[in-house]
Amino acid sequence: MESPENLSGQEVGVEQDATPTLVDVDTALLLLGAGVTAITHPLLYVKLLIQVGHEPLPPTVGTTMFGRRVLYLPGFFSYAHHIVKVDGKRGLFRGLSPRIVSSAISTVVRSKVKQQVELLSKRDELQTSLRKVLKETSHEMIIQCLSRVATHPFHVMSVRCMAQFVGREVKYGGIFSCIVKIFKEEGVAGFYVGLIPHVAGEVLFLWFCNLLAHFINTYAVDESVSPSPLWMLEERVYERQQAMFTQASAIRSYTKFVMGIAVSALTYPFMLVADIMAVNNCGLAAGLPPHSPIFKSWLQCWNHLSHKDQLFRGSSFFFRRVPVTSWSSTEG
């Protein structure tokens, strides 16, 4: 029989073995986030240049299936090829380092805040499903807002580094030089340009997505048949009921994903305005006349884009087309 000292030593050993496991999980998440950020960066780089209105390649004239004349703008691959031609393959990763730091900070903040929120939520058991969704969405909103506040300065740095492609500037380089440059010229406020529309878009996305998914799963997914004990049903009827419940569960699992795609299209203008404001009037050609007007607020930027019918500029990567009249007015 083992002594109490040996048992206590084994318990301590178990606790010590469990701690590195959590650290390993966090490290794996950080590495995974950095990898995904690096892989997707060329896509976001091209998207950012399109958002600020930079079109270095000429469009081609074509017609739709209904016979209307339109201009087809270069897609992602043509745009990326142009970047490689100008800056080489490494040019596709301009502004990547601030995004990797932003991803790491977001992972850490979300992990820490989520733990605190879960501890608080356990104290308040909810009765109805709707109240539970409202409470969980409120918690997610707090996590999202804190994460955005912590990472937005690095988002601004990354956007400005990428926007330098338009005017071929070298004003913003590494992370530390970006911090010094922005703080010297704009103060602390310069790190949070475009924060309000970004947060507004993410909060609206979160609430719309969660509530729509809840109402669809509650009222649209058929669950009128409840499972009965096997001894009260014939085998075929029982199997049919089980198949129906499996199908309903599968539908629910995809509802939020589908709603996310739909709602992201509706909230995209907020992201567009946030990125434009991050570049506007910062000394780069992409944010100065004649390339872009100087906006006093993000609402003025929104109104300008709405008047030009460009609130969804950059929302498409591959199939980009505009009416001939719209392109002519833009060029003018």
Side-chain angles (χ1 to χ4, degrees), residues 158-192:
S158 178
V159 167
R160 293 186 179 183
C161 288
M162 292 185 284
Q164 291 182 134
F165 181 85
V166 177
R168 310 303 302 157
E169 297 101 341
V170 291
K171 181 178 180 180
Y172 298 98
I175 294 179
F176 293 106
S177 63
C178 287
I179 294 174
V180 173
K181 179 71 68 174
I182 294 175
F183 183 78
K184 183 178 180 180
E185 295 183 355
E186 305 171 56
V188 177
F191 294 103
Y192 292 96

Side-chain angles (χ1 to χ4, degrees), residues 179-322:
I179 294 174
V180 173
K181 179 71 68 174
I182 294 175
F183 183 78
K184 183 178 180 180
E185 295 183 355
E186 305 171 56
V188 177
F191 294 103
Y192 292 96
V193 178
L195 175 65
I196 294 178
H198 216 147
V199 171
E202 291 177 340
V203 169
L204 288 175
F205 170 83
L206 191 61
W207 279 100
F208 276 118
C209 183
N210 287 1
L211 289 178
L212 285 174
H214 167 73
F215 287 124
I216 290 175
N217 287 336
T218 302
Y219 300 105
V221 179
D222 185 16
E223 59 176 2
S224 58
V225 182
S226 58
S228 301
L230 180 58
W231 59 83
M232 296 178 61
L233 296 167
E234 295 182 0
E235 184 176 355
R236 292 183 179 179
V237 176
Y238 178 79
E239 292 178 353
R240 189 179 302 116
Q241 286 190 354
Q242 295 303 314
M244 291 176 63
F245 279 102
T246 302
Q247 184 179 9
S249 300
I251 293 175
R252 289 193 185 92
S253 64
Y254 287 105
T255 300
K256 193 171 183 179
F257 173 75
V258 175
M259 287 299 98
I261 297 176
V263 175
S264 64
L266 297 177
T267 58
Y268 176 80
F270 289 94
M271 307 298 111
L272 172 63
V273 172
D275 288 342
I276 292 177
M277 291 303 297
V279 178
N280 194 251
N281 197 26
C282 69
L284 300 179
L288 294 171
H291 191 85
S292 171
I294 295 178
F295 303 111
K296 295 181 180 179
S297 68
W298 70 272
L299 292 175
Q300 184 183 9
C301 177
W302 182 292
N303 292 332
H304 173 79
L305 293 173
S306 178
H307 179 71
K308 296 288 186 179
D309 195 22
Q310 295 183 6
L311 277 175
F312 293 90
R313 185 172 67 193
S315 60
S316 176
F317 282 112
F318 303 101
F319 302 102
R320 304 173 56 222
R321 67 184 187 186
V322 294

Side-chain angles (χ1 to χ4, degrees), residues 49-71:
L49 294 179
I50 297 174
Q51 284 180 328
V52 299
H54 184 54
E55 298 291 349
L57 302 175
T60 57
V61 181
T63 56
T64 64
M65 60 181 300
F66 299 104
R68 190 180 67 168
R69 295 179 70 249
V70 294
L71 293 176

